[in-house]
Amino acid sequence: MELHMDMMDSPCGLDVSLKVIGGKWKPLILYHLQGGPARFSQVKQRVVGISEKVLIQQLRELVAMNVLIRRDHQRVPPMVDYALTPFGETLVETLRPLCEWGTQNRARVAATLASASSQP
Amino acid sequence: MELHMDMMDSPCGLDVSLKVIGGKWKPLILYHLQGGPARFSQVKQRVVGISEKVLIQQLRELVAMNVLIRRDHQRVPPMVDYALTPFGETLVETLRPLCEWGTQNRARVAATLASASSQP
DNA sequence: CGGTATCCCCAACGATACTG
DNA sequence: CAGTATCGTTGGGGATACCG
């Protein structure tokens, strides 16, 4: 069993944010929905490397947190899409600095990663 | 092979950032080093719930990425501390919006989590 | 098209005990 | 104090098959 001693309020809300976008794929999913709603298969194409199983899991969790909404257009063949809620938009905003940091430091991180793996 | 829009440089650097602070604990560790260097045991106390094993793993990876430095003061009993590098400081900066978002939405997220767990 | 259902694997995480 | 060592658990992830 885990000892959750977070009875006192955390000094910062990072723990809250991480409950919502924690996990490997959620930030990427959110990012790729910034431009507007996207269908399941579109999200899958954009989030390179994710499996369908994991994608649907993560989407559902984000829907449950009211970060995304799922819309079923009741068609045959099926037509479903996912979109950021206003709440979700506020969250994705906070990801932007992280995004820019990554863009600026892509080469540096890649280099570090490379030299780290060559020195066991 | 049709539309290789995702194969060109990622639209955003989120993937890079996630390589560095991906994982459950790293953002929290970084956050708790903002005030200045801290010893192993201090970090452990601040990052509530982390085990020693995982903590040392994550610390080492952050050191390897040049986000932290480890300083061994060569004493008995051992005296080691960890501090953000200038590079690490730029990264921790980007976490701040996420932090604030969490603080502002703590109650809402907690409520959503609660109602979600009562509705299987 | 947008999922479900299974099975299986493995890396990450976790708890406890022990050591230089 | 700052870690190792060891063992156990978990859930992300791949592959494949199938359904409404």
Side-chain angles (χ1 to χ4, degrees):
Chain A
M1 75 182 169
E2 300 174 38
L3 302 179
H4 278 150
M5 297 296 286
D6 6 336
M7 20 204 173
M8 59 176 210
D9 52 338
S10 301
C12 134
L14 219 39
D15 60 319
V16 177
S17 318
L18 292 174
K19 280 201 177 73
V20 181
I21 52 152
K24 183 172 174 179
W25 299 105
K26 283 179 185 139
L28 262 5
I29 295 172
L30 260 34
Y31 173 81
H32 287 293
L33 286 173
Q34 269 187 100
R39 302 177 64 173
F40 181 85
S41 51
Q42 292 177 315
V43 180
K44 189 187 158 191
Q45 282 174 359
R46 294 176 193 179
V47 182
V48 179
I50 196 169
S51 69
E52 289 187 358
K53 185 178 100 177
V54 173
L55 177 56
I56 190 66
Q57 277 175 2
Q58 309 290 294
L59 286 172
R60 284 193 201 295
E61 289 175 20
L62 290 168
V63 169
M65 295 304 299
N66 302 312
V67 168
L68 298 183
I69 45 169
R70 184 190 121 114
R71 296 182 302 186
D72 186 337
H73 297 256
Q74 305 289 21
R75 294 218 228 119
V76 176
M79 162 68 156
V80 171
D81 64 18
Y82 295 86
L84 288 167
T85 61
F87 183 58
E89 306 246 24
T90 66
L91 179 53
V92 85
E93 281 293 315
T94 70
L95 258 28
R96 200 157 292 160
L98 210 53
C99 207
E100 288 164 10
W101 186 93
T103 303
Q104 285 166 12
N105 296 286
R106 178 178 301 278
R108 175 174 186 160
V109 169
T112 306
L113 246 24
S115 66
S117 61
S118 64
Q119 291 177 7
Chain B
M1 302 276 201
E2 304 77 21
L3 306 174
H4 40 280
M5 305 270 288
D6 291 316
M7 311 267 320
M8 58 184 216
D9 53 334
S10 300
C12 132
L14 220 36
D15 59 319
V16 178
S17 318
L18 291 175
K19 280 199 178 74
V20 182
I21 52 153
K24 186 172 171 179
W25 298 106
K26 283 180 185 137
L28 262 5
I29 293 171
L30 261 35
Y31 173 80
H32 287 294
L33 286 173
Q34 270 186 97
R39 303 177 63 174
F40 181 84
S41 53
Q42 291 178 314
V43 180
K44 189 187 159 195
Q45 281 173 359
R46 294 177 192 177
V47 182
V48 179
I50 197 171
S51 70
E52 290 187 356
K53 183 179 107 179
V54 174
L55 178 55
I56 191 65
Q57 274 175 3
Q58 309 292 293
L59 286 172
R60 283 193 201 294
E61 289 174 21
L62 290 167
V63 168
M65 295 304 298
N66 302 313
V67 169
L68 297 185
I69 45 168
R70 184 191 121 114
R71 297 182 302 184
D72 187 336
H73 298 255
Q74 304 289 24
R75 294 223 227 116
V76 177
M79 161 72 155
V80 172
D81 65 17
Y82 296 86
L84 288 167
T85 61
F87 183 56
E89 306 245 24
T90 66
L91 178 53
V92 84
E93 279 294 312
T94 69
L95 257 28
R96 200 158 290 163
L98 210 54
C99 205
E100 288 164 10
W101 186 93
T103 303
Q104 284 166 13
N105 295 287
R106 179 179 298 281
R108 176 174 184 160
V109 169
T112 308
L113 245 24
S115 65
S117 61
S118 64
Q119 290 176 8

